[in-house]
Each structure stands twice: as structure tokens, then as C-alpha cells.
Amino acid sequence: MTRLQVDPESIRELLEAGGWPCDRITEDTWRSHIRGRTGSFPFFVRTDPDGYLTFAIVPFLKSPEDAARAEPLYQRLLQLNQSLWMAKFSIDDDLDVLLSVEYPTGELDRSEFDDALDVLSFYADKYYDELRSMCA
């Protein structure tokens, strides 16, 4: 496999060639949407100076503000992180739930780029309804 040159133009080209219209929102970040069977999810692709490309649905969900209601959600996210392949759930400073995939750019090829987006879409569809019900 041919390794990808990870630069601003190649990221845009890869996204658009894969059917992901995007907007460049900062020097190192692009935004698009995944349209799955359970909804539309905003996702971002960000290049990291440490040599990683991050694909993330932000926000995937909003955490409940009440800690007692949030605890079962957080426990479920930890359980899922043990079984997810290539992806992980996390919580940001605003208590948003994120779903992300990270790849080292030095080893990235086209199939891995596409796989990252496929994984985000797959897990978003698979777990959105279940996790959303825990936030209600």
C-alpha cells in the first residue's frame, strides 16, 4: 500500500473523493457530516503536530448534567471501549461524549483513511440509540 501524504490539500481531496463534502475550519481541521440510519453526525478530521490524524464525531451526545444519571452512561462507555475496534468514546471539557479514531500519519494509507470513516459511521449507528436513551 502507498502511504498517504498528509497535508491540507490531500485531506480535502481524500474526504471529497470518498463522498464526504467538507469545510476547512482551521489550518489543521476539516468538518463534514455522517448520515447514518439513526441520524446525522458532525465529524471532524484533524492533523496533529505529533503525527496523528484524528477522526471524531463531536459531539456524539451531551452527557446528563446530573452526576447520578451520568454515571451509568460513563460505565457503559468504559465497557464499550473494551470491545470497540479502532475507535474509542471519550468525554470532553463540556461533558460532551465523543467518538473518535486516531491513526499515526507515518503509516496511513488510503484504505485506513476510509476505514476510519467507516468505523465512525458503523459505531455511531450501532450505539447512538442505546446511549441516547441513557441521557434522557
Side-chain angles (χ1 to χ4, degrees):
M1 290 280 167
T2 304
R3 292 190 179 133
L4 294 176
Q5 176 66 33
V6 180
D7 59 48
E9 275 312 302
S10 65
I11 298 297
R12 173 180 294 283
E13 290 170 8
L14 288 164
L15 286 167
E16 291 179 350
W20 307 97
C22 63
D23 296 311
R24 188 171 178 185
I25 58 172
T26 67
E27 182 68 25
D28 62 357
T29 306
W30 295 259
R31 175 182 49 217
S32 189
H33 280 81
I34 292 173
R35 287 177 184 80
R37 64 176 172 72
T38 59
S40 178
F41 305 97
F43 77 87
F44 298 86
V45 178
R46 181 178 173 269
T47 59
D48 183 282
D50 292 329
Y52 285 87
L53 193 60
T54 301
F55 304 79
I57 297 175
V58 182
F60 184 66
L61 294 165
K62 300 276 188 189
S63 295
E65 291 183 18
D66 178 44
R69 289 186 49 234
E71 184 178 345
L73 171 67
Y74 297 162
Q75 288 180 2
R76 180 64 177 141
L77 295 176
L78 288 171
Q79 290 170 345
L80 290 172
N81 278 348
Q82 291 297 310
S83 64
L84 298 182
W85 183 69
M86 296 175 35
K88 66 181 176 183
F89 284 104
S90 56
I91 308 294
D92 69 10
D93 293 342
D94 296 325
L95 300 180
D96 292 334
V97 176
L98 288 67
L99 176 60
S100 63
V101 174
E102 296 174 338
Y103 266 106
T105 57
E107 301 296 320
L108 188 70
D109 65 37
R110 176 61 197 242
S111 68
E112 292 170 328
F113 187 94
D114 293 340
D115 287 348
L117 294 169
D118 289 344
V119 165
L120 281 181
S121 181
F122 175 78
Y123 286 132
D125 271 341
K126 184 171 183 171
Y127 293 112
Y128 182 73
D129 287 339
E130 173 192 351
L131 297 174
R132 182 184 61 184
S133 72
M134 298 178 83
C135 296

